[in-house]
Amino acid sequence: MTRNEPSATGNSPSRFSQWKTSPVIRYLLLLGFALLFYFSLLNEVVPETYDIQPNKVSEKTIYAPYQEENSLATEKAKEEAASRIQPVYKIVSIKNEQIVETIFDKLEQNNTDPEMTFDVRVDLYRNLLPAIYTDYVERFMKTLRAAGNYNDTLMNEIEKQLLEQQYKFSEESYYKFPRLTKDDLTAMETVAKDIVNRLMNDPLVEAQSARAKVTEMVNSSTLTKNTARELVQEIVRFALTPNKFYDAKETDQARAQARENTKPVLFGKNDVLVYKGEMITEETYQRLKTFNLLKDKTDFRPHLGLALLVALFVLVIFMFIRQSKLSIQNNNSQLVMLLLIFFLNIIGMKIVSLGQNLEYPHIGYLAPVAMGTMLVIVLLDAPLAYVSSIIFSLMSGIIFSVDQDRLMDYRYLFVSLIVSFAAIFSLHKASQRITILKAGIMISVFGCLGIVTQALLDNRFTMTDLSYGLSFAAVGGIISAILVIGIMPFFEMAFGILSPLKLVELSNPNLPLLRKLLTEAPGTYHHSVMVGNLSEAAAEAVGANGLLCRVGSYYHDMGKTKRPSYYIENQMNMDNPHDSIEPSLSKAIITAHPRDGVEMLKEHNLPKAIRDIAEQHHGTTLLKYFYYKAVKQAEESGEGKVVEESEYRYPGPKAQSKEAAIVGISDCVEAAVRSLRSPTIEQIDSMVRKIIKDRLDDGQFDECDLTIKDLDTIAKALKETLLGIFHARIEYPGDLPKNNDSKGES
């Protein structure tokens, strides 16, 4: 499948056309490919070495050629990981309501003893109540140790916090407790237990935070006596304890585990090892030595190997182009385009490779490798896309290889080849830009399938590797599609390319110009559609751009919309206005439609290739009807006026491309055959060949590259297409029935 290029105008080849076919330029472009490959792979294959000594200032910024562990940074990362571990706390269930019950039991027992005086009770409570708490803690700790659920460090911390956070009754409370009656104690106990249970439902590291809420909760209780409220507050505060305790042992274990789980910190590929102007310490010197970056001796073998690899890449491109029948074989403009596509694709891979490190080891799958393949197949040719895909994949394997012992990483080569071929299959005969997005999705899907295949075959693939790889591959396909959609218009504009996608968009009948043609000149619209069918078939028969011919045919008579009634295909149920005007005026009206059409196409920013067809499809042909009419009028007038044939010719230019010439032939053939009421096969064949011969004799094909063989092929293709169009109306002489009342049909 070929792509259209803007044709040169004029009677002699322009400098631009000479540049496009110059062998010297072609070899210079191949040299450009070699330089691109060499310098893009140089740092990957042949790391630069440096003449550096310790305790001297570095004259350059030095980057890591591959990944290597940074021991100091690894240790720092371990400490940071450990510091991020939050202290481990354990919640311990403590039955604080038992403290409350014990207190009220003692109060009731002593306050109802008639033999005890007030002062004795005060002294008793001053010693008894604090002891209730310490006794409870002692019993509680024995129970915990017997259960064996907690380590000794945590047990000691629990006992320490319980004792340190013990609440002390106010001295005034000891004088108020002896005065409480049995009814007071009963009411108070219920409220105290309820509040303690509610507050102890929350985890408490500090009991004081819960004690601050006691006053409000007691005041909202059912107690009415102030003394009862005050003493309940004291008892509740006394009974509250922490229930969440710091576990130092488990915290240390968690931090040790975090250190152990910390992955080694590497000097990632392309990370800075030494900054320009930085002093070279002994440690830095040893680091550079580890990376083999010290210049000890000159070794040209890697450079020679890279040169041979580059030569093989260029040779593959050169031989494929040379032996193919693609238009790029003699078109340096397309070779420049291919070079730019390679450049952009390699730049995309190099940019992604800058982010390749230990944290994102599979970021290479994000690279838009398929972008280059998609651009080649859409803007150039499918066969060339296969060769380009293989080279892109090999370069991807080299660029994203992080192992110093391995030149090429087969994982990236494999996935790149998969996604590139998926792009080719998805975009073959693409006709809409939405197809590119669909192709991006297919690239993502097949990229993920390639990674899953690797994961199943390679035991070194972890779930983390798989998840990263799938994520990057899925995003990479979409990025490739988005980049292609964004870049394509620049190529189309810079190189004057009409891609199939653009041509299909221009053939949409809802576009303003085509709707104008349909509504204002319906006969011309139908004629243009028929010309499109004929020209596409003829163009494909001789290897020209059939889609361009079809779309160019839709627009070739757009100028007729300025005066549609002056063209016979639009004259339905009306007189021909040319019958009442001079032939010179008729000539001026008719010959103006190519120029008017070009102006309209320019106003709507249609590509130059379409405008060229509209301008060149009549070439400099003669308007025979009006010329002979003018000659006849001149003879009848008797004035002896000579009518020059040149005055009744279209202004041109002649067809500069195969496509413009084919549309011109098809335009004339369609109009001529349409004028026949019941065309036969012989009439159609004779008319097609006569029209082509007349144009050939008139020199209309002198400035395009149609050969006599091409014209014969075009005649056959037009005849076959017309037979299909007029199938039901063509009479086959050999099949005519003997009965004159019936008519044979094919």
Side-chain angles (χ1 to χ4, degrees), residues 76-117:
K76 182 179 178 181
K78 289 182 177 181
E79 292 305 317
E80 290 177 352
S83 66
R84 288 193 293 269
I85 299 298
Q86 297 297 319
V88 177
Y89 285 87
K90 293 293 179 64
I91 297 177
V92 179
S93 177
I94 302 176
K95 298 181 179 180
N96 300 68
E97 68 273 8
Q98 291 183 2
I99 300 176
V100 176
E101 290 177 356
T102 304
I103 291 174
F104 280 98
D105 288 345
K106 295 297 182 181
L107 288 175
E108 184 177 349
Q109 178 184 347
N110 292 312
N111 284 0
T112 56
D113 187 350
E115 295 182 0
M116 294 185 67
T117 64

Side-chain angles (χ1 to χ4, degrees), residues 665 692 696 701 706-716:
I665 295 171
I692 292 176
L696 178 64
F701 305 134
L706 284 176
T707 63
I708 299 297
K709 182 180 179 181
D710 288 338
L711 293 175
D712 184 61
T713 303
I714 289 171
K716 292 177 181 179

Side-chain angles (χ1 to χ4, degrees), residues 9-29:
T9 58
N11 295 325
S12 61
S14 66
R15 289 184 178 180
F16 181 72
S17 61
Q18 291 176 351
W19 172 85
K20 289 200 305 180
T21 57
S22 170
V24 175
I25 297 298
R26 189 173 306 118
Y27 288 119
L28 288 176
L29 291 173

